[in-house]
Amino acid sequence: MSKFLFRLYSDTLAAKTAFEGDLAAANRIIYVRDGNVTLRCAGQVMALASNSAWCARTPCQMLAGASGAQILRWELHGPDPAPTAEGVQSRSLME
């Protein structure tokens, strides 16, 4: 059995809500379905609008914009639980 899991999450972030702490280092793609988010990772800050994506493997922080955001997040990593925070709903769509 593999030590890695490939997961797809649907995240709904309320306005100005962030995941608590960092999203751990993992091979990851973040796609913004609706709204916008700001990502901070590896010393860079990226603003993603609706219908845009970003990928990397470094830890990152994600903050929703003024209208909130709906995100699809693909990750390949060990069997750690999904991050949670008040105002954030994460739902595993595939494992």
Side-chain angles (χ1 to χ4, degrees):
M1 181 173 206
S2 175
K3 294 180 182 179
F4 293 96
L5 297 172
F6 181 70
R7 292 181 175 154
L8 169 60
Y9 294 99
S10 174
D11 302 320
T12 302
L13 288 77
K16 304 281 186 177
T17 300
F19 276 103
E20 188 150 329
D22 289 344
L23 291 167
N27 291 303
R28 166 181 299 116
I29 299 170
I30 293 174
Y31 173 76
V32 182
R33 292 177 55 196
D34 190 35
N36 57 59
V37 296
T38 300
L39 294 172
R40 289 184 176 88
C41 33
Q44 295 182 321
V45 178
M46 284 107 6
L48 297 178
S50 184
N51 199 30
S52 61
W54 169 88
C55 65
R57 61 175 66 171
T58 60
C60 65
Q61 296 174 324
M62 185 165 47
L63 172 68
S67 62
Q70 292 183 352
I71 308 293
L72 289 176
R73 179 170 44 97
W74 290 264
E75 296 183 346
L76 177 65
H77 59 80
D80 297 329
T84 59
E86 190 169 325
V88 176
Q89 294 178 354
S90 289
R91 185 168 56 104
S92 178
L93 299 178
M94 181 186 77
E95 185 170 303

